[in-house]
């Protein structure tokens, strides 16, 4: 199985930036895609971006293009989500997830999920 732990969330003023981290571990030698999602309080989970095992190929939700950047330190198996120009509407729990089939696109089924890290953006 794959274990995922998010970190890097917190309280930030609007206009600031955060870099979230998703650390992956587990006794697996397979390749997998890492996706980032967010879930505002009382709302549905929303896809943000994903990156394939290689760290080269990425996919973004249309609404997330521009201020969000996904990247990966392949050697350390850490996937990052950089959020710039934060807005109050970005307030949410941000979660990372793993697709063991190493797919890419908007309809991928993710197999493993982290617990999430809270991002609060004040105006």
């Amino acid at each position: 199985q794959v274990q995922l732990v998010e970190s890097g969330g917190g309280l930030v003023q609007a206009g600031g930036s955060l870099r979230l981290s998703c650390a992956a571990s587990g006794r697996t030698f397979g390749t997998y895609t890492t996706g980032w999602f967010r879930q505002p309080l009382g709302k549905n989970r929303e896809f943000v971006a994903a990156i394939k095992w290689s760290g080269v190929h990425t996919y973004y939700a249309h609404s997330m293009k521009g201020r969000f950047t996904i990247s990966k330190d392949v050697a350390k198996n850490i996937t990052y989500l950089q959020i710039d120009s934060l807005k109050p509407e970005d307030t949410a729990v941000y979660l990372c997830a793993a697709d063991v089939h190493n797919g890419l696109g908007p309809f991928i089924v993710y197999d493993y999920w982290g617990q999430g890290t809270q991002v609060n953006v004040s105006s």
Side-chain angles (χ1 to χ4, degrees), residues 40-58:
L41 183 64
K43 297 184 178 181
N44 292 328
R45 188 174 61 217
E46 178 183 27
F47 173 77
V48 177
I51 190 166
K52 297 191 76 173
W53 176 259
S54 65
V56 174
H57 302 284
T58 62

Side-chain angles (χ1 to χ4, degrees), residues 98-118:
D99 161 37
V100 299
H101 296 124
N102 200 29
L104 196 63
F107 305 112
I108 299 299
V109 176
Y110 288 84
D111 305 283
Y112 301 98
W113 294 81
Q115 294 298 309
T117 185
Q118 179 72 47

